[in-house]
Amino acid sequence: MNASCKEIFSLIIHRKEKADKWTKPLAPEMEEDLTLHFEKGRYLNVDSCGPYTLQVHPGGTVMTGGVVDLQEHTCTCGLFQCMKFPCPHACAASQ
């Protein structure tokens, strides 16, 4: 076995050992990101636009917010679709 194969094999074993320690459905890094997004979402205002569509924005302006569709899993900021993971706007809308 050459050196690069040994390195790859070692990385796989290390990641497997790390994954075996997870206690939640999400990886620890994703869990941290989700917690951060919910924390950011706490300070946003949410206005209903329909049964599953909500306008999410900081205080006095709607220009820097996003429109979230909870049924379609989309947000006009683009992160919800791109990352397949709730953005702060979606986290605020879900509460």
Side-chain angles (χ1 to χ4, degrees):
M1 195 185 290
N2 63 30
S4 61
C5 287
K6 287 181 182 179
E7 285 180 41
I8 292 171
F9 188 67
S10 176
L11 286 172
I12 291 170
I13 289 172
H14 175 70
R15 290 189 53 103
K16 169 81 170 92
E17 290 170 351
K18 194 174 173 183
D20 286 342
K21 295 177 185 174
W22 294 353
T23 58
K24 298 180 180 179
L26 294 176
E29 294 85 4
M30 297 299 284
E31 190 73 35
E32 290 172 14
D33 286 349
L34 188 60
T35 300
L36 179 64
H37 286 191
F38 269 103
E39 184 62 30
K40 287 180 178 179
R42 289 180 55 200
Y43 303 102
L44 298 173
N45 296 324
V46 179
D47 299 319
S48 179
C49 299
Y52 301 103
T53 307
L54 300 109
Q55 173 78 43
V56 180
H57 56 90
T61 177
V62 295
M63 299 304 289
T64 57
V67 176
V68 177
D69 186 322
L70 293 174
Q71 191 171 32
E72 297 295 324
H73 301 254
T74 61
C75 180
T76 55
C77 78
L79 288 175
F80 202 0
Q81 305 88 280
C82 179
M83 301 299 288
K84 304 291 187 214
F85 193 75
C87 62
H89 305 115
C91 290
S94 72
Q95 295 187 10

